[in-house]
């Protein structure tokens, strides 16, 4: 429980911490300390006071002055974390003036099940922002102090709220069981006992046992094992780790015990499971693009309308249910439960969707940041055992690109520039890389961006937002304009295109401006980029025929 007396928190340090593979670091704490894991895997131990606990993304350690931590990374990868230390001061009671340093943690042991816990994406993001703000240059130190103070309070409040709602003992048995289920789902890799979890949530052993059975349909041991096996499936499908390492990560003592529990739950050994065909649910249009290009019909596919028209043989067939973003969350969950896929592919995010998906099937989270669409395509192909098909597709597409380059050289001429502009109801943006056809134009086809972008670093940015008075930056020889397919998007496009500065642009004056459907051109995957290439050649080819 958080201290209720007025308190002031003062940040003493916020920095990044990295532990190299196979290395360990010992920290002797001098202040209240929070460590939040941002990447990698490892373990932590309160020196001479606890057994090791597993560390991974979004796990947190809390400590105070005098504690000693030993952090150890996994053999295969480094462990990265945000380390935040602070002092907490409280008004003296009953003395009217002066402050004294608090001895207790802001989150006391009675509120936390142990000295470590699992948190959410919001807290990880706040910790990262806090570290960045603390590293601000001296000329902005005053602003940085104000900013870091606000972030520290926000971070501490977020941690307090999370554990106040999920781990506090409750007189309401139903709420306590819900909290216990959430706690087990987050701490499945730790050593858990019925008595320990029941005690944390203020329940008798009998009440906890019957309540968990009623809520999940499983006993405590069955429920924990089901979660561990599901997480083991995720790691088997998405990593090259040894079975012994996976066993350690999901909470089993060795690979033999994992194999036994896996076979009891799934019906086959892990090695057989890996080779067995699987039904896939794609819960992001980007993964749907990858799967369709591999000729795979997902059991559930989040897909834009144009994809349904382009791939009816895969999306409009029995066994595949194509949905769009208009579906409400609970509708998506109900459909997934009904379809019962073997695997759900989901974006690399936390939150409500991830928690709900993981109750239905193993979830594979594929990273996007810093990864081009070709490597992303290969990763998805590897998961579904279609690596050769992916390489064949990429080789064929590469041949198409070479032919297209020759054709565009004839149509445009070598010095021509082309702008990729996006108009939505909420904003306008000029794209330089990645999405909205920019990867196709500037990377794959090596076309030249507008002169205003080159040499400024803007061409390396995914996009830059633009105001009406900046439209002159679009002065290129050719322009592709992707308009949001909504009433608001179309209305804004009409408003923009009535402006004098717009009509004075070189591409507009010469009839070299082409309006395209944003849903097709936003796609950043093989099926979308292939279609973008075909549409680009068609638009420019028709324009060339008209000019003759």
């Amino acid at each position: 429980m958080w201290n209720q007396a007025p308190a002031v928190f003062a940040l003493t340090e916020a920095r990044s911490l990295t532990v190299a593979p196979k290395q360990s670091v010992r920290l002797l704490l001098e202040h209240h300390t929070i460590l939040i894991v941002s990447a990698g895997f490892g373990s932590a131990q309160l020196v001479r006071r606890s057994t090791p606990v597993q560390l991974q993304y979004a796990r947190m350690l809390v400590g105070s002055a005098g504690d000693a931590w030993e952090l150890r990374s996994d053999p295969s990868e480094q462990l990265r974390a945000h380390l935040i230390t602070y002092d907490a001061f409280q008004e003296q009671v009953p003395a009217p003036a002066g402050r004294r340093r608090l001895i207790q943690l802001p989150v006391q042991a009675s509120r936390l099940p142990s000295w470590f816990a699992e948190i959410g994406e919001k807290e990880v993001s706040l910790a990262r922002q806090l570290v960045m703000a603390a590293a601000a240059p001296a000329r902005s130190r005053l602003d940085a102090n104000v900013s870091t103070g606000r972030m520290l309070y926000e971070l501490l409040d977020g941690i307090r709220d999370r554990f106040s709602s999920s781990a506090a003992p409750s007189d309401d048995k139903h709420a306590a069981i819900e909290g216990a289920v959430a706690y087990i789902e987050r701490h499945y890799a730790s050593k858990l006992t019925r008595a320990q979890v029941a005690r944390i949530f203020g329940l008798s052993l009998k009440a906890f046992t019957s309540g968990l059975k009623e809520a999940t349909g499983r006993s405590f041991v069955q429920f924990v094992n089901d979660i561990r096996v599901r997480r083991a499936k995720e790691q088997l499908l998405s990593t090259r780790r040894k079975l012994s390492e996976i066993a350690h990560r999901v909470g089993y003592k060795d690979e033999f015990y994992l194999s036994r529990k896996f076979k009891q739950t799934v019906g086959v050994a892990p090695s057989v499971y890996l080779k067995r065909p699987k039904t896939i649910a794609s819960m992001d249009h980007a993964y749907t693009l990858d799967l369709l290009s591999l000729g795979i019909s997902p059991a559930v596919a989040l897909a834009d309308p144009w994809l349904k028209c382009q791939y009816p043989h895969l999306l409009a067939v029995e066994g595949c249910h194509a949905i769009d973003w208009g579906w409400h969350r609970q509708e998506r969950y109900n459909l997934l439960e009904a379809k019962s896929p073997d695997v759900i592919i989901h974006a690399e995010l936390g939150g409500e969707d991830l928690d709900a998906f993981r109750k239905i099937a193993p979830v594979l989270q594929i990273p996007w940041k810093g990864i081009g669409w070709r490597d992303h395509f290969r990763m998805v192909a590897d998961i579904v055992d279609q690596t050769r098909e992916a390489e064949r597709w990429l080789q064929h597409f590469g041949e198409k690109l070479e032919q297209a380059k020759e054709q565009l050289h004839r149509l445009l001429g070598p010095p021509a520039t082309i702008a990729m502009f996006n108009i939505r109801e909420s904003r306008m943006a000029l794209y330089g890389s990645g999405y909205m056809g920019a990867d196709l134009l500037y990377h794959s086809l090596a076309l030249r961006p507008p002169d205003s972008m080159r040499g400024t670093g803007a061409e390396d940015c995914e996009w830059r937002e633009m105001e009406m008075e900046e439209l002159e930056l679009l002065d290129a020889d050719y322009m592709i304009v992707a308009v949001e397919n909504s009433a608001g998007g179309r209305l804004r496009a009409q408003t923009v295109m009535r402006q004098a500065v717009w009509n004075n642009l070189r591409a507009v004056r010469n009839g070299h401006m082409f309006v395209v459907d944003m849903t097709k051109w936003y796609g950043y995957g093989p099926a979308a980029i292939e279609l973008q290439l075909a549409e680009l050649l068609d638009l420019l080819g028709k324009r060339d025929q008209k000019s003759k």
Side-chain angles (χ1 to χ4, degrees):
M1 184 174 181
W2 286 68
N3 186 53
Q4 300 300 314
V8 175
F9 301 109
L11 182 72
T12 55
E13 184 180 33
R15 64 181 175 90
S16 297
L17 176 68
T18 300
V19 183
K22 299 182 180 180
Q23 300 298 311
S24 64
V25 171
R26 180 169 291 196
L27 301 175
L28 179 61
L29 307 189
E30 298 179 357
H31 307 271
H32 296 309
T33 302
I34 296 172
L35 181 140
I36 294 176
V37 179
S38 58
F41 291 87
S43 64
Q45 185 173 11
L46 268 172
V47 178
R48 297 188 301 276
R49 289 171 54 192
S50 75
T51 56
V53 296
Q54 297 304 304
L55 295 181
Q56 62 188 52
Y57 178 77
R59 287 198 173 173
M60 173 186 71
L61 305 181
V62 290
S64 57
D67 286 344
W69 292 346
E70 184 168 3
L71 311 177
R72 187 177 299 276
S73 67
D74 268 13
S76 59
E77 58 186 303
Q78 63 184 8
L79 177 71
R80 299 199 301 272
H82 305 305
L83 185 69
I84 297 160
T85 67
Y86 62 96
D87 285 330
F89 301 94
Q90 173 185 318
E91 296 295 338
Q92 285 189 353
V93 179
R99 292 188 173 105
R100 61 182 175 83
R101 184 162 164 173
L102 291 177
I103 300 300
Q104 70 270 27
L105 285 170
V107 185
Q108 290 184 345
S110 61
R111 182 66 71 184
L112 286 174
S114 65
W115 60 286
F116 84 104
E118 193 156 344
I119 54 175
E121 178 68 30
K122 178 183 176 182
E123 289 77 35
V124 177
S125 177
L126 277 172
R128 179 173 60 251
Q129 294 174 45
L130 184 53
V131 169
M132 292 173 62
R139 54 186 167 80
S140 59
R141 180 56 57 193
L142 179 60
D143 290 340
N145 286 342
V146 173
S147 177
T148 55
R150 175 184 58 78
M151 291 178 189
L152 176 62
Y153 275 81
E154 193 173 348
L155 176 62
L156 295 176
D157 280 345
I159 295 170
R160 176 202 61 193
D161 291 344
R162 179 171 293 274
F163 292 105
S164 294
S165 62
S166 66
S170 171
D171 294 333
D172 184 340
K173 178 183 174 182
H174 178 72
I177 290 295
E178 283 188 344
V181 168
Y183 176 74
I184 294 168
E185 288 173 340
R186 290 183 178 277
H187 296 273
Y188 64 89
S190 304
K191 290 183 178 180
L192 297 175
T193 65
R194 279 191 309 154
Q196 172 198 5
V197 180
R199 184 172 62 253
I200 291 169
F201 291 90
L203 295 168
S204 68
L205 197 58
K206 182 179 179 180
F208 171 66
T209 302
S210 62
L212 185 68
K213 180 76 172 181
E214 183 180 347
T216 68
R218 295 169 176 82
S219 69
F220 174 79
V221 171
Q222 289 171 332
F223 185 56
V224 172
N225 278 326
D226 283 354
I227 296 171
R228 288 175 173 173
V229 168
R230 190 165 287 172
R231 298 298 182 274
K233 286 181 178 179
E234 292 175 359
Q235 295 202 36
L236 282 168
L237 292 169
S238 62
T239 73
R240 301 295 185 187
R241 296 188 180 104
K242 295 179 179 178
L243 197 60
S244 57
E245 188 177 354
I246 293 175
H248 181 65
R249 287 172 182 268
V250 301
Y252 290 124
K253 59 183 180 180
D254 55 44
E255 65 268 37
F256 305 108
Y257 196 61
L258 167 59
S259 293
R260 192 170 77 200
K261 291 297 181 182
F262 195 99
K263 191 168 184 178
Q264 287 176 359
T265 305
V266 182
V268 296
S271 57
V272 177
Y273 169 79
L274 272 175
K275 297 176 183 177
R276 193 167 66 181
K278 299 169 187 64
T279 55
I280 307 289
S282 169
M283 299 312 294
D284 189 288
H285 66 92
Y287 310 130
T288 302
L289 294 173
D290 293 326
L291 293 169
L292 294 177
S293 296
L294 294 168
I296 292 174
S297 178
V300 178
L302 197 60
D304 293 314
W306 70 267
L307 268 177
K308 299 176 187 178
C309 298
Q310 194 74 14
Y311 291 90
H313 59 294
L314 293 175
L315 292 177
V317 296
E318 186 177 356
C320 175
H321 203 118
I323 64 176
D324 56 41
W325 288 112
W327 282 54
H328 296 297
R329 265 200 171 99
Q330 194 56 53
E331 291 176 323
R332 297 199 299 266
Y333 302 158
N334 292 342
L335 176 61
L336 286 169
E337 287 179 348
K339 287 289 187 176
S340 188
D342 294 318
V343 176
I344 297 172
I345 305 181
H346 181 49
E348 192 182 37
L349 300 170
E352 185 177 343
D353 277 347
L354 178 60
D355 292 340
F357 292 162
R358 276 183 157 167
K359 293 176 182 178
I360 300 168
V363 178
L364 302 187
Q365 292 183 278
I366 303 175
W368 268 112
K369 189 174 181 180
I371 299 176
W373 69 267
R374 289 173 177 81
D375 288 336
H376 191 273
F377 183 38
R378 290 185 174 102
M379 293 170 70
V380 172
D382 188 49
I383 289 170
V384 296
D385 198 24
Q386 292 289 328
T387 301
R388 289 184 180 179
E389 182 61 31
E391 293 303 327
R392 278 195 294 267
W393 191 98
L394 289 169
Q395 181 179 354
H396 181 61
F397 184 67
E399 294 167 358
K400 282 187 177 181
L401 284 175
E402 291 305 313
Q403 296 171 6
K405 287 178 182 178
E406 293 180 8
Q407 187 176 345
L408 290 171
H409 181 80
R410 293 193 304 269
L411 291 172
L412 305 181
T417 57
I418 186 166
M420 187 67 232
F421 190 52
N422 175 225
I423 301 177
R424 310 186 194 195
E425 180 179 6
S426 58
R427 65 173 171 86
M428 301 186 298
L430 180 62
Y431 275 74
S433 66
Y435 289 82
M436 209 64 70
D439 182 90
L440 172 69
L441 297 179
Y442 307 129
H443 178 67
S444 297
L445 295 173
L447 296 174
R448 292 178 56 187
D451 291 337
S452 58
M453 293 182 66
R454 289 185 289 117
T456 65
E459 70 270 28
D460 296 324
C461 298
E462 184 178 322
W463 57 272
R464 58 159 293 183
E465 192 163 351
M466 297 187 67
E467 302 297 335
M468 198 75 78
E469 56 269 20
E470 297 178 293
L471 290 176
E472 61 185 19
L473 296 177
L474 295 173
D475 202 17
D477 297 302
Y478 294 84
M479 181 161 53
I480 307 295
V481 183
V483 177
E484 183 179 54
N485 190 17
S486 68
R490 291 188 291 271
L491 179 61
R492 186 163 193 182
Q494 292 170 9
T495 302
V496 169
M497 293 178 187
R498 285 197 296 264
Q499 303 301 310
V501 63
W502 177 270
N503 288 287
N504 197 41
L505 292 173
R506 186 162 66 250
V508 179
R509 291 198 318 267
N510 295 333
H512 295 168
M513 186 271 292
F514 308 98
V515 177
V516 298
D517 182 355
M518 173 179 147
T519 57
K520 293 181 184 178
W521 282 74
Y522 183 74
Y524 188 60
I529 291 176
E530 185 176 38
L531 189 68
Q532 292 163 17
L533 176 62
E535 186 168 4
L536 177 68
L537 294 174
D538 183 59
L539 290 170
L540 293 175
K542 287 179 178 177
R543 193 277 317 168
D544 185 60
Q545 290 175 6
K546 288 181 181 179
S547 65
K548 290 179 179 178

